[in-house]
Amino acid sequence: MKSGKFKDEKTIKREMALIRDYWHCQPLHYVRYRLFEKELTDQQLIDYVPPYVYYLFHLPPLLENVDKRYSSKLFQLEQFRQRGILTPATVAIFNHGKLIDLEGNLIDSNQLVNLFSENEKVFCKPETGCGGHGIQVLQRTGDSLQHRKTHKRSVALSDFLTGDITYLIQKQVHQIEFMDQLNSGCINTFRVVTKNHNGNISIACIFLRAGRHHSDIDNNTQGGMSLDVNIETGRISDIAILEHGNDKFERHPDSGFVFKGNCIPNWVDYKKQMLEVAAKFPDLTEVGWDFALTPEGVMTIELNVGFGLDLMQLCCGPMREPLMVEPYT
């Protein structure tokens, strides 16, 4: 920072002191978010929420009465089905080495293979996984399954999955043409953070996660990139960023899709559907939703009652006001 061309040392020290005095904690996020490179007013500087304050003081009271089972994708699937919410088709569960259908009946590997079309992807998601970690992507090849990374072929899921972990076995999701044009290697999902304040549900921020390197997963922890989405218009930002590192992209490195000037088609309708989903969970105050846009409408991939703050503020800007975060005393 001392050798930076954006601000002199005196300015940086003043800004860090301003943040420290307002939030009553060390301004580590000033460096993490590279605020020393941004021309911001004093108000804009303090509007960036320190993760320390968010996770230790703001979030715990919101989670105090939340059902702990929301951390389970199986529980979420049950809730989505009860509320008539569109989700990826879950065809089976791999539970401690046993393969069962959604009614609890044992099925064999050959029955599972026949649930998928030739070359269709098979997504095996750990029940409590996050950030895309632990997801195994297979593909039907003839009468067997092939691991997309290792290219190992087998019919038995036990060759690919850890026996003491529960997995949801899901079919491939098909996204709208606009998303395929941006990146067809995987389903590009939207992280939509909603806030329920006295029954009034609003969207705090939205960013689009685009996979790259032809990955089957779009998560930033798996190398994906993110673009801010204008909540009102659906316009995507001109530049995509990575969660870690300072690389920026004006176009998708695989597809060549140029970000500048592009808006999500039919955005008003999609946003309405997202808010309708959030309204079906009045018991949740702050939620990070993962949505996909499909020909059938908005598809809910999962919900997160504890979600990452860093990428949200790196991509969408300060979140103090949208999330109603105040300094602790």
Side-chain angles (χ1 to χ4, degrees):
M1 290 191 297
K2 289 182 179 180
S3 61
K5 62 181 179 180
F6 299 97
K7 299 175 183 178
D8 57 34
E9 184 176 351
K10 181 179 179 181
T11 299
I12 289 174
K13 287 183 176 180
R14 186 195 72 81
E15 291 183 346
M16 293 183 76
L18 172 75
I19 294 170
R20 183 187 62 242
D21 293 345
Y22 181 82
W23 288 105
H24 311 300
C25 67
Q26 291 301 316
L28 303 179
H29 65 293
Y30 183 86
V31 180
R32 172 70 178 96
Y33 302 155
R34 305 183 72 89
L35 301 185
F36 56 87
E37 293 181 344
K38 303 179 186 294
E39 291 297 332
L40 302 169
T41 66
D42 286 357
Q43 183 62 55
Q44 290 170 325
L45 283 166
I46 63 175
D47 279 348
Y48 278 90
V49 180
Y52 174 80
V53 173
Y54 182 79
Y55 291 115
L56 267 68
F57 299 97
H58 175 76
L59 191 58
L62 302 183
L63 299 181
E64 189 173 356
N65 297 316
V66 170
D67 194 322
K68 300 296 189 294
R69 291 177 295 174
Y70 273 118
S71 62
S72 164
K73 290 183 175 64
L74 276 173
F75 181 73
Q76 289 187 25
L77 175 63
E78 177 185 342
Q79 299 305 305
F80 294 156
R81 294 177 73 187
Q82 289 178 0
R83 291 165 170 78
I85 294 172
L86 181 66
T87 62
T90 300
V91 298
I93 298 166
F94 186 77
N95 187 18
H96 293 87
K98 295 181 180 180
L99 193 60
I100 58 176
D101 62 21
L102 295 188
E103 282 68 47
N105 303 309
L106 284 172
I107 60 175
D108 61 34
S109 297
N110 290 324
Q111 289 174 294
L112 179 71
V113 170
N114 290 329
L115 293 175
F116 295 88
S117 304
E118 180 70 13
N119 296 322
E120 184 178 1
K121 293 179 184 177
V122 181
F123 287 85
C124 306
K125 300 180 179 179
E127 179 188 8
T128 57
C130 62
H133 295 292
I135 294 178
Q136 302 297 323
V137 185
L138 316 177
Q139 188 171 24
R140 177 174 177 175
T141 305
D143 293 328
S144 64
L145 299 175
Q146 175 175 301
H147 198 280
R148 293 268 297 171
K149 279 190 176 180
T150 65
H151 303 293
K152 179 180 178 181
R153 292 179 62 176
S154 176
V155 176
L157 280 184
S158 56
D159 289 349
F160 306 122
L161 306 183
T162 304
D164 59 352
I165 297 176
T166 299
Y167 293 84
L168 280 68
I169 314 299
Q170 295 183 336
K171 294 180 73 68
Q172 181 176 345
V173 174
H174 298 283
Q175 61 193 352
I176 62 172
E177 184 180 356
F178 179 87
M179 292 292 107
D180 268 338
Q181 291 173 355
L182 189 152
N183 170 52
S184 61
C186 68
I187 301 303
N188 309 289
T189 60
F190 293 79
R191 168 55 58 89
V192 178
V193 176
T194 59
K195 182 81 175 180
N196 185 338
H197 181 61
N198 297 327
N200 180 34
I201 298 176
S202 61
I203 295 176
C205 76
I206 303 176
F207 58 88
L208 168 61
R209 299 181 296 199
R212 61 186 184 124
H213 303 315
H214 305 288
S215 170
D216 293 310
I217 303 171
D218 68 349
N219 299 78
N220 280 265
T221 53
Q222 308 299 316
M225 58 179 63
S226 297
L227 299 114
D228 181 28
V229 177
N230 184 289
I231 297 173
E232 299 305 320
T233 67
R235 179 168 178 153
I236 62 176
S237 56
D238 297 348
I239 302 293
I241 66 164
L242 303 180
E243 183 172 7
H244 301 286
N246 201 33
D247 293 338
K248 294 179 172 60
F249 304 85
E250 295 181 352
R251 63 179 66 218
H252 195 285
D254 300 330
S255 68
F257 184 95
V258 176
F259 304 128
K260 186 175 182 179
N262 272 293
C263 294
I264 310 299
N266 303 315
W267 177 249
V268 173
D269 185 44
Y270 287 136
K271 186 176 73 170
K272 178 183 176 184
Q273 292 179 47
M274 293 172 181
L275 286 168
E276 288 172 348
V277 170
K280 294 182 178 182
F281 291 83
D283 53 322
L284 302 179
T285 303
E286 258 177 37
V287 185
W289 302 91
D290 292 340
F291 291 126
L293 302 185
T294 75
E296 293 76 32
V298 169
M299 178 175 286
T300 304
I301 306 299
E302 66 180 46
L303 65 82
N304 303 273
V305 291
F307 48 85
L309 179 71
D310 274 352
L311 181 56
M312 190 190 329
Q313 294 196 119
L314 284 167
C315 190
C316 303
M319 285 290 117
R320 184 189 66 83
E321 186 174 348
L323 294 181
M324 303 178 189
V325 185
E326 295 301 331
Y328 70 97
T329 55

